[in-house]
């Protein structure tokens, strides 16, 4: 069945370091791919999305490119800030159906 | 719009008691989802509704869990009787048109069953 596998955490980085959180997926057809972010004590909120191969989603300095050949959607940011500390979830939604499949989440802590 | 509203934010109860969690989706959204989040299992879909009708409840753990959506602006998730292993954060989310659209999450209900 459809699923998402993302990099285990926790991840701790210094401010201004580069970030990559790996995400790979298994799906039939052409799913939409998402990154959601969860700040402490809050619900998840959409960070970025991509709906077809080679699309790049971007928001708040974060980017992820939909790579069909490697079935990946890695999250990247060139220079992290303390305010980026949160849990990041990769997610997939098949275009045939009304489901979301979430990864297990990767906790990021950025230290000054 | 105020977003997805869940209540209560925190619930502490004793084993065997009935627990009711509440959700008000964003007005105009056709889909409503209930998720449970734990450290061990991550984010699990329990059930989702389309136009107030339950579509997929395969994620509901057992008969102790039930969910209703009597109208477009209100849903409940009930656990009766509650058990300590039900302790988790329960999220409600809604979306417009289809689930491949963006999901809007509430702030969650932190449930502790003692």
């Amino acid at each position: 069945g459809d699923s998402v596998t993302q990099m285990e955490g926790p991840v701790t980085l210094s401010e201004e370091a580069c970030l990559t959180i790996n995400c790979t997926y298994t799906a039939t057809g052409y799913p939409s791919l998402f990154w959601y972010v969860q700040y402490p004590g809050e619900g998840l909120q959409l960070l970025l999305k991509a709906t077809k191969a080679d699309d790049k989603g971007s928001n708040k300095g974060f980017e992820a490119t939909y790579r069909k050949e490697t079935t990946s959607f890695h999250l990247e940011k060139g220079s992290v800030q303390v305010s980026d500390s949160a849990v990041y979830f990769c997610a997939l939604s098949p275009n045939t159906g009304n489901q979301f499949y979430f990864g297990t989440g990767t906790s990021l802590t950025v230290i000054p | 719009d105020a977003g997805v509203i869940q209540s209560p934010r925190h619930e502490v109860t004793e084993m065997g008691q009935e627990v009711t969690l509440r959700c008000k989706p964003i007005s105009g959204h056709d889909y409503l989802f209930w998720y449970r989040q734990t450290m061990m299992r991550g984010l699990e879909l329990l059930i989702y509704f389309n136009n107030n009708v339950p579509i997929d409840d395969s994620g509901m753990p057992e008969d102790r869990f039930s969910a209703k959506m009597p109208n477009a602006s209100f849903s409940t998730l009930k656990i009766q009787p509650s058990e300590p292993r039900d302790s988790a954060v329960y999220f409600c989310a809604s979306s417009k048109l289809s689930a491949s659209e963006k999901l809007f999450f509430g702030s969650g209900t932190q449930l502790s069953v003692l």
Side-chain angles (χ1 to χ4, degrees):
Chain A
D2 295 352
S3 66
V4 167
T5 302
Q6 68 179 98
M7 165 180 163
E8 294 275 338
V11 174
T12 302
L13 295 173
S14 296
E15 206 165 20
E16 299 184 4
C18 293
L19 169 71
T20 299
I21 301 178
N22 291 337
C23 172
T24 57
Y25 67 90
T26 301
T28 54
Y30 300 91
S32 295
L33 301 174
F34 305 80
W35 278 99
Y36 278 79
V37 59
Q38 183 181 27
Y39 297 104
E42 299 182 11
L44 281 71
Q45 53 187 275
L46 180 67
L47 179 59
L48 53 85
K49 67 184 274 191
T51 58
K52 61 182 188 296
D54 300 325
D55 265 3
K56 178 185 285 189
S58 61
N59 186 24
K60 300 181 181 180
F62 290 89
E63 293 183 338
T65 301
Y66 189 143
R67 302 280 189 206
K68 188 158 178 62
E69 63 275 13
T70 53
T71 62
S72 66
F73 193 56
H74 304 321
L75 182 67
E76 298 176 326
K77 187 173 186 181
S79 176
V80 293
Q81 306 300 312
V82 172
S83 57
D84 294 328
S85 299
V87 181
Y88 293 82
F89 292 86
C90 186
L92 170 159
S93 179
N95 286 334
T96 57
N98 296 300
Q99 270 276 21
F100 263 85
Y101 298 92
F102 284 89
T104 53
T106 301
S107 174
L108 170 67
T109 301
V110 180
I111 54 177
Chain B
D1 201 314
V4 176
I5 300 173
Q6 290 187 247
S7 63
R9 284 299 306 270
H10 303 275
E11 176 80 34
V12 180
T13 190
E14 293 188 346
M15 183 174 64
Q17 296 298 305
E18 177 179 297
V19 174
T20 299
L21 312 181
R22 297 173 176 80
C23 176
K24 176 179 166 50
I26 292 173
S27 177
H29 281 194
D30 300 314
Y31 288 83
L32 183 140
F33 303 79
W34 281 101
Y35 284 89
R36 177 171 68 177
Q37 185 180 39
T38 61
M39 290 293 292
M40 291 296 294
R41 301 167 73 100
L43 203 61
E44 304 172 276
L45 176 65
L46 300 177
I47 185 171
Y48 79 91
F49 296 82
N50 176 212
N51 291 327
N52 313 339
V53 176
I55 302 300
D56 184 351
D57 65 355
S58 60
M60 296 285 262
E62 49 200 271
D63 291 346
R64 297 185 297 106
F65 286 68
S66 63
K68 294 182 180 179
M69 192 165 185
N71 57 61
S73 59
F74 184 65
S75 177
T76 60
L77 178 68
K78 185 176 292 187
I79 308 172
Q80 165 64 18
S82 58
E83 296 182 4
R85 60 193 168 119
D86 302 330
S87 298
V89 181
Y90 291 81
F91 287 105
C92 177
S94 69
S95 71
K96 189 174 175 62
L97 298 178
S98 77
S100 59
E101 294 288 319
K102 172 181 172 180
L103 281 181
F104 292 81
F105 281 79
S107 299
T109 296
Q110 173 80 59
L111 173 64
S112 298
V113 183
L114 306 177

